[in-house]
Amino acid sequence: MSRRLCYLLFCAYFIVGCASYQPPKAPFANPPVEDQEVRIGREFRREARKKLKLVHHPEVERYVNQVGQRLVSAVGPQPFDYRFFVVENSQLNAFAVPGGSIYIHTGLIERIASTDELAGVLGHEIVHVKGHHAVRMSGGPDPISLLSLLGVFLGGAGPQAALTLGQALAVTRQLSYTRQLEQEADTLGVKYMAGAGYDPQAALSFLKTVDQDRVLNPIEIPPYLMTHPLTPERIAGVESAIRSFALKQPKSESVDPMKKIQTLLRLERHESDAVVAEYEKALGRNPQSAEALQLLGVAHHYNGRWARAVDYLERARSLNPRGPGIDRDLGRAYTQSGEFRLAGAAFERAFAAEPNEPLNYLFAGELYEKESKLPEAVGAYLRAHNLAPLWPAPARHLGIAYGKMNRLGDAYYYLGRSHLLADEDELAITTLERALKSVEPTSSRSQVIREELETIKARKR
Ligand SMILES: [Zn+2]
């Protein structure tokens, strides 16, 4: 393959990797109806789960979803559910898929200086989804099929296998149009950020950081810059949007969990020795650093050293009881070390501090299960499930806990729901059919299961 073709394919890969991956061809005047976008999103998620390395640590999953949902609520009612995923990939990138699925690379999360900066990126991507930008970009002379785009996005045999030259050209031709949409995403993005209580200036500071990287390392241009070309106009556009909306810096957030999340991502990559060395050094410089103490506690927990984890976390809590999720961390560490009474007390404090945080109930449920308090465990998981209805983890835990209680109908029902939330339709059908056999045929649960089965089967047709 010629170098030029390679370059074009490479380019197309990044452009498509932008927020805007494209649905099947649809005449511009007649965009696909909403449920087509939802369907594309679901198909994409299913493939993405197979082909991308997603981070499933509960704290990380909740972090991006919590920031994302806060932005979505500032946008107003939406025709589809938004979901946010973290991809283990060192390249600085983020992209959105029609129908509300937004993917952030770990390489981007590790480059942000604050959660507000993440909100800037997510706000921008939400506008691409909300504005149906992928659909608005379609209708070019050489439309790209959904399948080839799935291939491009997800790698697979590599972009070369997925795109023909003509298709690559078609994508590159759409670049100028993309810039227009990028501007719209920037402008509305900062508006939603401010509406959700994030500092809109962070959108600017993130762009400037990325720009600095580009100057320092012109060889390795991050995908985010290929898809979001940084121009003086773009930065000026964000500045003027902040001015014109008279957006103000909100009162500072009490605690920013960003550093903890970045540390968890390193631990997920098995860099715990480096993390421990780094924060012990930091602690040496400043023995009163509650942050270093908490992150050391988190790292030791990760390595199964519960007593050490408890020791560091207690010291962190005595210095800063408002450390991000510190009582939850303590609750988990005490659960593992078998000190259930102390674990329970830590979770009670966590509930009082953050009553709407599903992670608190998910982890408390694990404590109650260990204590063989199954009804309490079910209660905690139900609470987590209600607070985060699109998150598969609480539904899965509910299924297991009900199973231990020998309530098979409920067990299969929630396991089926967890498969459904993870886009595993076939498994969801078999599990829900088992649930149906185990519940009273005249019960309302039976009715709900039948309706859910109907919906899943209908969309397969
Ligand atoms: Zn964009």
Side-chain angles (χ1 to χ4, degrees):
M1 190 181 295
S2 75
R3 283 184 77 104
R4 170 134 188 91
L5 175 55
C6 269
Y7 170 76
L8 278 172
L9 293 170
F10 198 56
C11 223
Y13 176 69
F14 288 135
I15 290 153
V16 170
C18 167
S20 309
Y21 117 98
Q22 207 147 335
K25 176 164 172 63
F28 187 68
N30 184 22
V33 289
E34 219 72 79
D35 66 341
Q36 270 176 289
E37 288 190 278
V38 170
R39 184 178 302 218
I40 291 165
R42 189 182 316 109
E43 259 178 62
F44 186 89
R45 285 199 303 275
R46 200 171 286 145
E47 285 301 301
R49 282 182 211 277
K50 284 188 224 148
K51 301 203 173 122
L52 301 178
K53 191 165 182 280
L54 298 180
V55 177
H56 287 299
H57 190 287
E59 296 253 357
V60 177
E61 286 186 323
R62 284 308 310 154
Y63 174 66
V64 288
N65 276 279
Q66 190 255 332
V67 177
Q69 299 304 343
R70 196 167 129 186
L71 287 159
V72 170
S73 43
V75 175
Q78 289 294 293
F80 32 64
D81 295 320
Y82 283 77
R83 299 166 204 228
F84 302 85
F85 300 93
V86 178
V87 183
E88 173 58 59
N89 185 318
S90 60
Q91 289 188 311
L92 197 158
N93 204 11
F95 58 89
V97 179
S101 299
I102 292 171
Y103 293 81
I104 317 290
H105 283 190
T106 51
L108 189 147
I109 297 179
E110 287 175 275
R111 290 294 288 121
I112 54 170
S114 67
T115 294
D116 295 68
E117 289 196 356
L118 176 68
V121 174
L122 295 185
H124 176 105
E125 299 300 332
I126 287 169
V127 179
H128 281 313
V129 177
K130 178 186 177 286
H132 311 277
H133 287 180
V135 177
R136 282 161 63 185
M137 267 173 63
S138 72
D142 246 331
I144 310 295
S145 77
L146 168 64
L147 273 181
S148 67
L149 276 163
L150 282 175
V152 171
F153 241 138
L154 299 171
Q160 291 86 342
L163 272 189
T164 65
L165 176 62
Q167 288 170 327
L169 279 168
V171 178
T172 47
R173 269 205 293 269
Q174 286 158 352
L175 183 59
S176 59
Y177 195 67
T178 305
R179 280 186 178 147
Q180 193 187 326
L181 296 178
E182 290 305 337
Q183 204 184 357
E184 182 179 321
D186 278 341
T187 309
L188 288 175
V190 290
K191 190 181 169 192
Y192 298 143
M193 265 179 98
Y198 292 107
D199 179 7
Q201 293 289 343
L204 212 50
S205 65
F206 179 72
L207 290 183
K208 287 179 178 167
T209 308
V210 178
D211 198 33
Q212 264 165 15
D213 269 20
R214 180 180 61 85
V215 175
L216 292 175
N217 185 4
I219 307 293
E220 282 181 47
I221 299 174
Y224 192 78
L225 273 191
M226 301 293 286
T227 60
H228 299 79
L230 256 192
T231 58
E233 305 96 84
R234 196 167 159 219
I235 290 185
V238 173
E239 274 169 346
S240 88
I242 293 171
R243 267 198 313 275
S244 69
F245 293 128
L247 302 177
K248 292 203 178 63
Q249 191 171 349
K251 283 188 203 113
S252 71
E253 282 279 303
S254 48
V255 280
D256 191 337
M258 185 239 359
K259 196 86 205 159
K260 184 181 177 190
I261 299 300
Q262 290 174 335
T263 303
L264 284 169
L265 291 177
R266 292 176 65 190
L267 294 170
E268 284 276 294
R269 274 204 308 271
H270 311 292
E271 293 176 12
S272 60
D273 289 346
V275 168
V276 168
E278 187 180 319
Y279 285 106
E280 285 198 331
K281 225 170 161 185
L283 201 60
R285 287 193 300 270
N286 175 12
Q288 300 297 305
S289 167
E291 181 183 80
L293 286 163
Q294 182 176 0
L295 296 179
L296 277 168
V298 169
H300 285 304
H301 183 113
Y302 218 90
N303 288 335
R305 298 191 205 106
W306 321 122
R308 274 193 178 197
V310 161
D311 178 48
Y312 278 117
L313 291 169
E314 282 290 8
R315 282 162 65 194
R317 192 173 83 88
S318 65
L319 289 167
N320 177 19
R322 285 154 51 82
I326 184 106
D327 283 315
R328 182 166 68 242
D329 290 341
L330 264 172
R332 293 192 76 195
Y334 278 128
T335 301
Q336 294 297 339
S337 66
E339 293 165 275
F340 296 154
R341 198 185 50 77
L342 290 168
F347 282 123
E348 289 301 328
R349 294 193 302 268
F351 300 154
E354 293 178 293
N356 295 321
E357 175 49 67
L359 282 169
N360 289 338
Y361 304 101
L362 186 81
F363 295 142
E366 291 176 347
L367 164 68
Y368 304 146
E369 269 195 77
K370 278 206 164 193
E371 291 181 289
S372 302
K373 295 180 182 167
L374 291 173
E376 282 88 344
V378 159
Y381 295 142
L382 273 174
R383 186 106 191 238
H385 181 59
N386 292 336
L387 285 165
L390 297 175
W391 192 22
R396 192 176 57 246
H397 278 77
L398 267 171
I400 295 165
Y402 273 126
K404 287 183 183 171
M405 292 168 82
N406 218 18
R407 285 176 55 175
L408 292 188
D410 293 319
Y412 285 129
Y413 171 70
Y414 281 106
L415 286 177
R417 281 212 60 79
S418 77
H419 292 311
L420 196 57
L421 292 170
D423 303 301
E424 298 163 329
D425 284 11
E426 295 300 329
L427 267 175
I429 290 173
T430 42
T431 315
L432 288 173
E433 279 172 346
R434 279 186 184 174
L436 200 57
K437 285 186 193 141
S438 312
V439 296
E440 187 61 43
T442 53
S443 64
S444 57
R445 169 72 31 103
S446 167
Q447 175 70 20
V448 169
I449 297 170
R450 281 198 302 270
E451 281 168 11
E452 286 199 1
L453 276 167
E454 195 86 347
T455 311
I456 313 168
K457 286 175 180 171
R459 76 182 183 208
K460 280 166 66 76
R461 288 196 281 268

